[in-house]
Amino acid sequence: MKIAAYLNPQGDVASLYEPGCFRLYQASAADEGWLSAQEIPFVTDYARPLPEIKAALHAAIAGLDDCKTLVSAEVRGVLYSVLQEELGFRIWKSEGPLLQQLDSVRQKEAEHEAQKRFEIVAFAGKMLPTPMLVGDPRDGCFWIDLKEALNHESGQTSRQILIPFLERGQFRRLEVLCDHLPKWMTWEMERLDMSAESEEIDATGSGLRVTVYPRNTPEGGARKVGLLGAGPALLLPCPRERQNSGGRVIDA
């Protein structure tokens, strides 16, 4: 995870209205703390026109790559509005030592993401649920609570929600939380050349986690095509196949 902090020359968390720098932090792979990735100086002359001030802020933020989380000593004012409304930042007000704040913000960000069950996208003129990106976009990990998505006002079926996403194939791992395995999943995994594994979320057996991998990824290539796991699948015949009176299989 990446978090930016705005610091004054003494290294303390400061307000954007003071001279200082944006410092980008990244959690170490071994979870042994935070690594400082880079610093971007930022000094604003507030006598300049507002468009120039905003342009200077945009230029500084561009150096933070895909980071959209900022720790600052303040959260109000024009500069913070620009960050939130124009640049999509979530801003956390610092209330303690920097490294402790980074740990605290990481936990709060995780809680915030956990509250989201799915994304909403425009598809065929309708606003529909779809899996949401989790973590670094380069990792290609997505997640969806299918039970919650099925309660969306669009009234979509599990197939309508997941198949368009699966067919695009622009992911490396998809986690689906559900009450039971969709009856179409067995044959669609084979059609799409994907691998899926299911496991019970807890001992009650009231929920499942299904993880789907495209076979053109290292994770998917190491697994067999199709569906494996603990969940009771409804092994119905594929609706695209039927038999005529002579027993010949026809693709519907």
Side-chain angles (χ1 to χ4, degrees):
M1 180 180 185
K2 296 178 182 178
I3 301 177
Y6 188 74
L7 310 177
N8 62 21
Q10 289 72 45
D12 300 320
V13 180
S15 165
L16 291 178
Y17 297 97
E18 305 174 39
C21 70
F22 292 97
R23 182 180 294 171
L24 182 63
Y25 288 89
Q26 184 164 6
S28 65
D31 199 23
E32 295 177 349
W34 294 90
L35 304 177
S36 176
Q38 58 181 315
E39 291 188 0
I40 304 169
F42 181 70
V43 180
T44 302
D45 180 0
Y46 293 100
R48 298 164 61 187
L50 180 58
E52 293 185 14
I53 296 175
K54 291 171 63 175
L57 181 59
H58 276 252
I61 292 301
L64 297 179
D65 299 324
D66 57 351
C67 176
K68 293 295 182 181
T69 305
L70 176 67
V71 177
S72 175
E74 297 289 342
V75 296
R76 298 179 180 177
V78 173
L79 294 180
Y80 294 99
S81 296
V82 171
L83 285 175
Q84 295 177 87
E85 298 172 10
E86 297 184 15
L87 297 172
F89 269 74
R90 192 152 44 246
I91 302 172
W92 300 90
K93 185 174 181 179
S94 175
E95 299 178 348
L98 174 58
L99 295 183
Q100 291 182 12
Q101 288 300 296
L102 295 179
D103 290 335
S104 175
V105 167
R106 176 167 58 178
Q107 180 178 351
K108 291 176 181 178
E109 285 284 313
E111 293 171 354
H112 176 83
E113 290 298 326
Q115 293 175 356
K116 296 173 64 178
R117 301 299 184 182
F118 50 81
E119 299 285 6
I120 299 295
V121 299
F123 184 78
K126 297 181 179 180
M127 301 306 293
L128 305 178
T130 192
M132 57 176 284
L133 178 67
V134 178
D136 192 325
R138 291 171 294 185
D139 293 336
C141 297
F142 289 79
W143 184 89
I144 186 170
D145 186 325
L146 188 57
K147 180 179 178 180
E148 293 293 332
L150 289 170
N151 290 329
H152 186 254
E153 60 184 12
S154 62
Q156 300 299 293
T157 66
S158 62
R159 184 183 178 87
Q160 291 169 324
I161 292 170
L162 292 176
I163 287 297
F165 178 85
L166 293 172
E167 288 183 333
R168 286 195 297 273
Q170 298 176 353
F171 67 99
R172 292 186 63 175
R173 186 179 71 200
L174 167 64
E175 287 192 1
V176 181
L177 299 188
C178 53
D179 289 334
H180 60 272
L181 291 172
K183 61 185 179 182
W184 51 263
M185 184 164 280
T186 299
W187 65 70
E188 289 293 1
M189 289 298 97
E190 296 180 1
R191 178 179 74 87
L192 296 168
D193 193 30
M194 293 183 177
S195 300
E197 299 173 347
S198 69
E199 60 179 341
E200 294 181 352
I201 296 176
D202 54 45
T204 66
S206 60
L208 296 172
R209 177 185 291 107
V210 182
T211 307
V212 181
Y213 304 91
R215 297 261 296 157
N216 61 358
T217 65
E219 297 89 343
R223 292 170 168 82
K224 294 181 179 180
V225 67
L227 177 63
L228 302 173
L234 296 176
L235 299 177
L236 302 180
C238 175
R240 292 185 302 277
E241 298 177 347
R242 67 177 185 272
Q243 290 187 326
N244 64 8
S245 58
R248 183 167 56 90
V249 176
I250 300 174
D251 189 358

